[in-house]
């Protein structure tokens, strides 16, 4: 065990990492619901930094201003009755819809490449590890934030399949996008997330990798659930 483990007060953590639109969010929510555990959507924190920067007119490469912004992010996640997703308040303002826009995701990918921003968000992410357990979704959950997680999953899917899923997701929310634009944005984000020097998107050595291109959500959840039966008992 390293010092990170003791900092996490032995709470059980499952990490679900993978590229954009690989299904992490949905799978995380379904597994957390079955287990009755907490959720960390770490991408939302990077998205919130990008939104806060926009709100305060801070450039996405202004390291000196982004560090304190990320460290003191005034954010609240509120469970809304009957809704699947949490309502997200940034400085008291409802940014739930804004948060999911592709432009926000792109800004998030830019600020996420900065080590000062990643460092500023590290302890905030670890604080989500509360009893009875946490399912954490992101890019570096298994490699950096929760290296001693009991189960580490790395989800992948082809860029085309991910673009198709994201297209349906955004369309359902009434946000206008085109498949071609999405494919380009996904390729650009993959490139940035995988090739940055700070906590790049790579599977942890002990992660179980799962290509979900040809799998339904139920099949992925079943697979993971079997893993939970083995590792959590
Ligand atoms: O999962 P998402 O699309 O909401 O994430 C938005 C961006 O944030 C993504 O392009 C990369 C970045 N990110 C990250 O670098 N590390 C994480 N743990 C989560 C997200």
């Amino acid at each position: 065990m390293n010092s990170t483990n003791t900092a996490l007060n032995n709470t059980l953590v499952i990490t679900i990492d993978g590229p954009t639109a690989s299904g992490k969010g949905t799978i995380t929510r379904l597994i957390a619901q079955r287990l009755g555990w907490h959720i960390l959507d770490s991408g939302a924190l990077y998205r919130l930094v990008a939104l806060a920067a926009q709100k305060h007119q801070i450039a996405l490469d202004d390291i000196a201003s982004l560090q304190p912004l990320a460290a003191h992010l005034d954010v609240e996640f509120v469970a809304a009755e009957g809704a699947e997703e949490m309502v997200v308040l940034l400085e008291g303002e409802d940014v739930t819809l804004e948060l999911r826009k592709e432009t926000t995701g792109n800004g998030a990918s830019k600020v996420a490449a900065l080590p000062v921003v990643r460092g500023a968000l590290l302890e905030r992410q670890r604080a989500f590890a509360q009893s009875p357990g946490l399912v954490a979704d992101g890019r570096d959950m298994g490699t950096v934030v929760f290296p001693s997680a009991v189960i580490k999953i790395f989800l992948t899917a082809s860029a085309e399949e991910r673009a198709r899923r994201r297209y349906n997701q955004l369309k359902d929310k009434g946000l206008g996008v085109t498949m071609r634009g999405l494919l380009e944005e996904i390729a650009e984000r993959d490139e940035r997330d995988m090739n940055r020097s700070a906590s790049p998107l790579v599977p942890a050595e002990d992660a179980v990798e799962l290509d979900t291109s040809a799998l339904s959500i139920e099949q992925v959840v079943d697979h993971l659930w079997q893993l939970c039966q083995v590792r959590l008992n």
Side-chain angles (χ1 to χ4, degrees):
M1 296 251 270
N2 60 26
S3 58
T4 322
N5 291 308
T6 41
L8 294 177
N9 61 32
N10 295 327
T11 302
L12 290 175
V13 178
I14 295 176
T15 59
I16 305 189
D17 289 304
T20 192
S22 53
K24 305 182 304 288
T26 307
I27 303 301
T28 296
R29 186 168 39 77
L30 293 172
I31 287 293
Q33 266 169 9
R34 272 207 202 182
L35 290 166
W37 286 13
H38 301 281
I39 287 177
L40 165 62
D41 171 4
S42 61
L45 295 177
Y46 291 97
R47 286 170 181 261
L48 283 159
V49 174
L51 276 184
Q54 189 186 21
K55 187 170 174 178
H56 295 288
Q57 295 174 342
I58 294 171
L60 296 185
D61 59 355
D62 180 351
I63 292 173
S65 306
L66 287 170
Q67 197 281 339
L69 188 78
H72 305 291
L73 208 55
D74 171 6
V75 55
E76 218 181 319
F77 294 89
V78 186
E81 187 95 6
E84 278 187 356
E85 283 188 50
M86 297 268 206
V87 169
V88 187
L89 303 177
L90 174 64
E91 297 167 11
E93 187 190 334
D94 185 346
V95 293
T96 317
L97 194 61
E98 198 74 16
L99 204 62
R100 292 296 142 210
K101 289 189 175 165
E102 281 306 286
T103 44
T104 310
N106 247 316
S109 168
K110 286 180 189 156
V111 295
L114 304 172
V116 290
V117 171
R118 306 200 72 84
L121 293 179
L122 193 58
E123 288 313 317
R124 190 187 284 257
Q125 294 175 83
R126 288 183 176 155
F128 278 76
Q130 301 281 338
S131 176
L134 175 72
V135 187
D137 135 22
R139 304 293 188 288
D140 60 342
M141 297 295 99
T143 50
V144 177
V145 183
F146 301 108
S148 58
V150 62
I151 299 175
K152 298 181 185 180
I153 306 291
F154 194 85
L155 293 182
T156 57
S158 67
E160 289 72 21
E161 177 58 21
R162 288 186 283 131
R164 198 185 58 76
R165 290 176 188 170
R166 180 55 56 88
Y167 179 81
N168 290 335
Q169 227 176 28
L170 294 175
K171 220 175 56 175
D172 285 349
K173 288 186 168 37
L175 298 169
V177 278
T178 64
M179 269 298 280
R180 193 169 150 184
L182 270 179
L183 255 175
E184 278 169 15
E185 274 174 20
I186 281 179
E188 195 187 312
R189 270 170 70 185
D190 280 356
E191 163 73 21
R192 200 181 305 116
D193 294 348
M194 291 197 260
N195 296 315
R196 67 182 179 218
S197 52
S199 310
L201 170 67
V202 283
E205 268 177 27
D206 49 350
V208 176
E209 292 188 46
L210 195 58
D211 184 340
T212 69
S213 303
L215 299 179
S216 67
I217 290 170
E218 291 72 28
Q219 285 172 316
V220 179
V221 171
D222 279 352
H223 191 90
L224 235 152
W225 190 244
Q226 281 167 26
L227 212 58
C228 289
Q229 304 304 314
V230 175
R231 302 248 185 113
L232 301 181
N233 290 320

